[in-house]
Amino acid sequence: MRRYEKRDFPVEQIRRFMEPGPIVLVSSLYRGKTNIMTMGWHTVMEFSPSLIGCVIASGNHSFDMIRRSAECVINIPTTALMKEVTGIGNSSGRDIDKFQFFNLTASKARHVKAPLIDECFASLECRLFDRCMVRKYNFFILEVVQAHVANSPKHPETLHYTGDGVFMVSGKVISRRRQFKPEML
Amino acid sequence: MRRYEKRDFPVEQIRRFMEPGPIVLVSSLYRGKTNIMTMGWHTVMEFSPSLIGCVIASGNHSFDMIRRSAECVINIPTTALMKEVTGIGNSSGRDIDKFQFFNLTASKARHVKAPLIDECFASLECRLFDRCMVRKYNFFILEVVQAHVANSPKHPETLHYTGDGVFMVSGKVISRRRQFKPEML
């Protein structure tokens, strides 16, 4: 599998990758063990600080790991990882070491202990910013403290889950830049 | 512009349309006036009750209308409404009547006073479910109380905003149903 070399990317611009709603792989580390989960319920919440809100159901092995370590990495895969996205979403870190089982490469993050996944074209280091909604809605408000993004492809083929085992693949790109007011871009 | 005839759709299955992250048009009504805004920061939060969380910046004319009426409709457009999506996102209901200006058809919802937009293939009637995050994050937790969805197209060409005036259009569809555990679908 291709491993991406990534460059630093401005955290206040990560909507570029997160707003269109890709399925993501969330990596975590707690008490010396790593884990990965597949996640689709997330939204950008603020530019600066760079905030992402996401639902991590409490039944997930990652739930306690992220709640307790207060950190994770959001990694964005392309269609090349279709098999891993499905496999990771249909297995539990209680039973297997997902990095090993799915043959993914964990590399060191800069500001958090959770590992980056080299096979994803973008990795966002996140710290738990606000836990006030965790108990009531399993909703984590994360701050992206560091973003790593590959230089190419410019428009990666991301996967977008629609439920029922069906994914939509990102398609062509349309620019309407000239029709935007500068402050609305 | 094509107007869609829509059928009732189970509210607990609206992830089908919302999870892949489409740009949406939010219609509202307050004190006899309607409005429409373009929105991209949203996530599914729960199946039942059917919850959607979304950010509506407080500078938007729709912010107070939705906060005060505690209702809105989330309408999902296709690429056929590219011009309207951009136009609505770059104008304010303070200055124009958006239904009139953009020549869109408001029709009566069943459970809320805010109007449906007939030119969108799906319309979700929403009630404000929890306002605890509105002040701190402009984050509205909405309950979808009624969903209206056109029978075709089955996989509408939705728009997914990536910032900077650039939209990604939904592409091909991949089913991996057989690789899912039944409880994970």
Side-chain angles (χ1 to χ4, degrees), chain B residues 86-148:
Chain B
T86 310
I88 288 166
N90 283 277
S91 59
S92 173
R94 281 181 204 91
D95 311 318
I96 54 168
D97 174 332
K98 295 204 192 178
F99 272 98
Q100 190 172 38
F101 189 88
F102 293 103
N103 198 23
L104 293 169
T105 314
S107 74
K108 222 174 152 53
R110 204 174 302 164
H111 299 291
V112 303
K113 295 200 178 76
L116 315 177
I117 302 176
D118 283 359
E119 287 78 6
C120 291
F121 74 89
S123 294
L124 315 176
E125 299 185 24
C126 297
R127 283 209 190 104
L128 185 51
F129 183 80
D130 191 335
R131 57 174 84 229
C132 71
M133 304 272 290
V134 170
R135 190 172 301 180
K136 199 164 172 192
Y137 292 105
N138 296 332
F139 190 74
F140 291 69
I141 300 177
L142 305 171
E143 179 181 1
V144 181
V145 293
Q146 179 74 47
H148 311 266

Side-chain angles (χ1 to χ4, degrees), chain B residues 65-97:
Chain B
M65 295 180 64
I66 295 170
R67 193 169 60 90
R68 291 194 169 140
S69 67
E71 291 179 346
C72 65
V73 177
I74 294 178
N75 305 273
I76 314 181
T78 64
T79 47
L81 296 191
M82 180 77 257
K83 205 179 59 174
E84 289 74 18
V85 164
T86 310
I88 288 166
N90 283 277
S91 59
S92 173
R94 281 181 204 91
D95 311 318
I96 54 168
D97 174 332

Side-chain angles (χ1 to χ4, degrees), chain A residues 16 19-20 41-43 89-90 130 133 136-137 161 164-165 167 169 171-172 174 176-177 181 184, chain B residues 15-16 19-20 41-43 89-90 130 133 136-137 162 164-165 167 169 171-172 174 176-177 181 184:
Chain A
R16 163 79 181 79
E19 185 167 339
W41 290 8
H42 56 73
T43 178
N90 284 278
D130 191 335
M133 303 271 289
K136 199 164 172 193
Y137 293 105
Y161 194 53
D164 209 32
F167 296 83
V169 179
K172 67 178 179 211
I174 300 175
R176 285 291 178 274
R177 207 172 194 287
K181 293 181 183 171
M184 300 305 292
Chain B
R15 74 182 295 184
R16 162 80 183 77
E19 184 167 338
W41 290 9
H42 56 73
T43 178
N90 283 277
D130 191 335
M133 304 272 290
K136 199 164 172 192
Y137 292 105
T162 70
D164 209 31
F167 296 83
V169 179
K172 67 178 179 211
I174 299 176
R176 285 291 178 272
R177 208 172 195 286
K181 295 181 183 170
M184 299 305 293

Side-chain angles (χ1 to χ4, degrees), chain A residues 13 15-17 19-23 39-47 51 53-55 60 79 82-83 86 89-92 95 129-130 132-133 136-137 139 141 155 157-177 179-182 184-185, chain B residues 13 15-17 19-23 39-47 51 53-55 60 79 82-83 86 89-92 95 129-130 132-133 136-137 139 141 155 157-177 179-182 184-185:
Chain A
Q13 291 173 30
R15 75 183 294 186
R16 163 79 181 79
F17 305 101
E19 185 167 339
I23 202 93
M39 180 175 80
W41 290 8
H42 56 73
T43 178
V44 181
M45 290 183 71
E46 185 54 274
F47 292 104
L51 300 183
C54 60
V55 176
N60 282 299
T79 47
M82 180 77 256
K83 205 179 59 177
T86 310
N90 284 278
S91 58
S92 173
D95 310 319
F129 183 80
D130 191 335
C132 72
M133 303 271 289
K136 199 164 172 193
Y137 293 105
F139 190 74
I141 300 177
H155 295 288
E157 259 206 334
T158 49
L159 291 162
H160 302 252
Y161 194 53
T162 70
D164 209 32
V166 176
F167 296 83
M168 179 273 282
V169 179
S170 66
K172 67 178 179 211
V173 167
I174 300 175
S175 177
R176 285 291 178 274
R177 207 172 194 287
Q179 278 137 56
F180 275 66
K181 293 181 183 171
M184 300 305 292
L185 283 170
Chain B
Q13 290 173 30
R15 74 182 295 184
R16 162 80 183 77
F17 305 100
E19 184 167 338
I23 203 92
M39 181 175 79
W41 290 9
H42 56 73
T43 178
V44 181
M45 290 184 71
E46 185 54 273
F47 293 104
L51 300 183
C54 61
V55 176
N60 283 299
T79 47
M82 180 77 257
K83 205 179 59 174
T86 310
N90 283 277
S91 59
S92 173
D95 311 318
F129 183 80
D130 191 335
C132 71
M133 304 272 290
K136 199 164 172 192
Y137 292 105
F139 190 74
I141 300 177
H155 295 287
E157 258 206 333
T158 48
L159 291 162
H160 301 252
Y161 194 52
T162 70
D164 209 31
V166 176
F167 296 83
M168 180 272 283
V169 179
S170 66
K172 67 178 179 211
V173 167
I174 299 176
S175 177
R176 285 291 178 272
R177 208 172 195 286
Q179 278 137 56
F180 275 65
K181 295 181 183 170
M184 299 305 293
L185 283 170

